[in-house]
Amino acid sequence: MSGVIAQANAPSHSHESPEFNPQISAEARFDQAAALLKIDAGLQKVLRAPAREITVNIPVMLDDGRLEVFTGYRVQHSLARGPAKGGIRYAPDVSIEEVRALAAWMTWKCAVLDLPYGGGKGGVICNPAQLSQVELERITRRYTSEIIEFIGPEKDVPAPDMNTNEQTMAWIMDTYSMHQRETTTAVVTGKPLNLGGSRGRTEATGRGCLLVTLEALKLFNWKPEDTRVVIQGFGNVGGMAAKLMARTGFKIIAIVEWDGAVYNPNGLDIEKLMRHKKETGSIVDFAEGENMDRFEAMYLECEVLVPAAKENVITSQNADKLRTRIICEGANGPTTHLADPILRDKKIFVIPDILANAGGVTVSYFEWVQDRMGYFWSEDEVNRRLAERMVESFKDVVNYAGKHKVDNRTAAYLLALDRVQFAIKLRGIYG
Ligand code: NAD
């Protein structure tokens, strides 16, 4: 047990090393795809530069009567294919560099899924753990009012991200609607169900992981029953992916969390493990599995590894130790750009994040569509349309990989850049 505690306390990767800097990783992949597509230097500059970056300083009265100023950002990386789309995060270490990199990421993700959106991201530097609900509401409403002329159903549609949730979205929607003098639900997605939210949103990212993994299995001619899966992260994405994969017949042999891992070579009962985590606060000491070192669990022999916790977990330091055949990237940026060639040499079939975890943004798109129609689909309808999109996009990426003789991640970037540059060329440069 002491080993587990020691590792949990080990420092996480710092963004100071270039390998762990999300902007450097994103740019390395962009550069590679732009060179392969022979995009001319001028257009590359357009594709690279964020269309708009907004910084706001938000004065907020705290509960104890002190006045504090919080800094917030909204970056709209691209508006070429439609309104910007992307989450808003609240965290003490939010920075403009991070928000800028994540906004570009959203442009590519939306393009891979062929959603009629550009990419955006926002953030407020604050520590939600030290703020009351009332303080968070004040921050959210003032941040919204400071960026209000830049957001809207046809301009920029925010969504939840780290430390923001459907309550945050309800406050944004209400603030925007008060200013517009009409209820405008389509200004944000990820709202509560009875305020214009979509059925199936909570499960969407995990369901997307299941759908693309099933497509990959077809290429290998494997059945779920013969497929051993290791999942890192048992939160929204990893937990849902685990539950849905187990229901589909996959053998989930290990779940890895920040405080340890559980292992059962015959497959874990995921719903029981969920109850255990709810009751004890941890997956560790589950009666129907063995505790395992959380690093070693990542190197178990399996057919599918789903990193669904955080960025920078598969690196140049550990990629050669993996013993999986498929990686389904549930998290954003779980693999560093320096790990990519190692995975390629090992012939691991990677379903890259901008495809694998795009189920969430796809159902966000469905939410926006339903809000604008004022007509809401059943959960089955949402899931059917999600499956259609995910499967189509998976095939698009695999076909691009074959056509250009590149790995899946490069193919996804090629596809995305191609779609965005096509839109820019069609629209032309105004001015
Ligand atoms: P979450 O907070 O619900 O779950 C993350 C889980 O990972 C938690 O249970 C946490 O304890 C665990 N974890 C944290 N550090 C870990 C570590 N070092 N080792 C093992 N486990 C660890 O978050 P989420 O919404 O599931 O998001 C997970 C990832 O997926 C993030 O990268 C996020 O950006 C990405 N993502 C989420 C969505 C979505 O719809 N929620 C969509 C696209 C991408």
Side-chain angles (χ1 to χ4, degrees):
M1 203 57 190
S2 61
V4 170
I5 290 167
Q7 281 152 6
N9 291 336
S12 62
H13 292 312
S14 128
H15 285 178
E16 281 159 27
S17 159
E19 179 170 2
F20 305 126
N21 180 319
Q23 197 164 0
I24 292 178
S25 264
E27 281 182 3
R29 281 138 182 180
F30 172 92
D31 289 342
Q32 189 191 10
L36 283 166
L37 284 174
K38 300 190 174 55
I39 297 177
D40 80 62
L43 194 52
Q44 279 197 39
K45 282 188 197 164
V46 178
L47 285 164
R48 198 187 294 272
R52 187 178 282 143
E53 296 187 351
I54 306 143
T55 300
V56 293
N57 289 312
I58 318 160
V60 173
M61 188 67 78
L62 300 180
D63 293 346
D64 64 6
R66 274 184 305 126
L67 194 56
E68 190 53 270
V69 176
F70 298 91
T71 301
Y73 306 107
R74 185 72 188 168
V75 174
Q76 297 171 349
H77 171 260
S78 173
L79 301 161
R81 289 170 44 87
K85 184 89 195 84
I88 292 172
R89 56 175 55 181
Y90 289 176
D93 58 353
V94 163
S95 69
I96 186 69
E97 290 78 18
E98 179 191 56
V99 175
R100 192 182 286 142
L102 294 169
W105 220 318
M106 287 305 297
T107 301
W108 314 133
K109 196 184 284 190
C110 291
V112 168
L113 270 286
D114 208 9
L115 307 179
Y117 288 138
K121 203 83 183 187
V124 176
I125 305 173
C126 64
N127 187 351
Q130 290 172 1
L131 293 162
S132 70
Q133 278 295 98
V134 175
E135 289 167 336
L136 283 171
E137 179 173 351
R138 284 195 207 111
I139 292 173
T140 304
R141 288 188 183 275
R142 184 66 190 250
Y143 170 69
T144 306
S145 77
E146 295 294 338
I147 61 168
I148 208 151
E149 62 264 51
F150 301 106
I151 61 171
E154 304 292 344
K155 294 180 179 176
D156 182 352
V157 186
D161 196 77
M162 199 186 288
N163 297 326
T164 57
N165 52 31
E166 49 177 49
Q167 176 62 73
T168 324
M169 297 305 115
W171 290 328
I172 297 178
M173 189 277 273
D174 182 69
T175 307
Y176 184 86
S177 299
M178 288 295 130
H179 282 254
Q180 296 300 310
R181 295 276 179 251
E182 60 185 29
T183 298
T184 312
T185 50
V187 63
V188 282
T189 59
K191 297 179 295 295
L193 202 51
N194 54 1
L195 268 186
S198 177
R199 293 189 174 79
R201 175 64 187 88
T202 319
E203 289 189 359
T205 307
R207 183 175 294 280
C209 292
L210 164 72
L211 292 163
V212 290
T213 304
L214 283 171
E215 285 308 296
L217 249 55
K218 287 185 193 160
L219 301 178
F220 284 79
N221 227 347
W222 293 339
K223 293 192 183 66
E225 294 73 34
D226 308 323
T227 306
R228 294 165 298 174
V229 184
V230 173
I231 300 182
Q232 184 195 40
F234 203 46
N236 177 278
V237 180
M240 286 299 175
K243 189 170 95 179
L244 296 171
M245 283 180 163
R247 282 188 190 165
T248 314
F250 286 83
K251 221 188 272 178
I252 317 291
I253 60 165
I255 297 283
V256 187
E257 261 290 332
W258 67 273
D259 57 347
V262 282
Y263 170 64
N264 183 335
N266 300 316
L268 292 158
D269 183 327
I270 295 300
E271 314 225 356
K272 272 193 194 162
L273 182 61
M274 282 181 160
R275 284 197 292 275
H276 172 80
K277 188 186 169 194
K278 208 170 171 189
E279 282 158 17
T280 66
S282 171
I283 58 164
V284 175
D285 294 336
F286 179 53
E288 295 178 23
E290 289 167 38
N291 285 345
M292 196 173 173
D293 177 285
R294 71 181 174 108
F295 293 100
E296 289 309 315
M298 295 292 284
Y299 312 137
L300 280 167
E301 192 183 339
C302 61
E303 280 69 44
V304 180
L305 173 67
V306 185
K310 57 193 280 280
E311 70 286 359
N312 297 334
V313 293
I314 300 172
T315 70
S316 58
Q317 307 302 306
N318 68 5
D320 65 323
K321 293 193 198 152
L322 298 182
R323 290 192 293 153
T324 183
R325 301 287 302 282
I326 297 173
I327 294 176
C328 174
E329 294 185 337
N332 281 319
T335 307
T336 70
H337 65 290
L338 296 183
D340 282 344
I342 302 170
L343 300 181
R344 207 158 43 227
D345 289 347
K346 286 171 71 82
K347 299 200 167 31
I348 294 179
F349 186 92
V350 177
I351 314 174
D353 48 8
I354 55 174
L355 168 65
N357 69 34
V361 70
T362 303
V363 174
S364 273
Y365 164 56
F366 296 160
E367 179 175 336
W368 178 78
V369 169
Q370 293 170 82
D371 286 340
R372 283 152 46 111
M373 286 193 299
Y375 179 77
F376 291 85
W377 301 333
S378 66
E379 191 160 351
D380 284 350
E381 178 74 8
V382 170
N383 291 344
R384 186 184 64 72
R385 289 177 187 266
L386 174 64
E388 216 170 76
R389 283 270 168 177
M390 295 299 299
V391 170
E392 233 168 74
S393 307
F394 178 92
K395 288 181 178 161
D396 285 346
V397 168
V398 170
N399 288 342
Y400 248 65
K403 188 169 129 196
H404 292 273
K405 300 196 171 31
V406 293
D407 59 63
N408 292 336
R409 188 187 316 282
T410 309
Y413 275 84
L414 288 178
L415 179 63
L417 258 66
D418 221 3
R419 284 181 174 159
V420 179
Q421 75 150 341
F422 187 56
I424 294 174
K425 282 181 180 162
L426 279 177
R427 290 177 69 148
I429 303 294
Y430 178 69

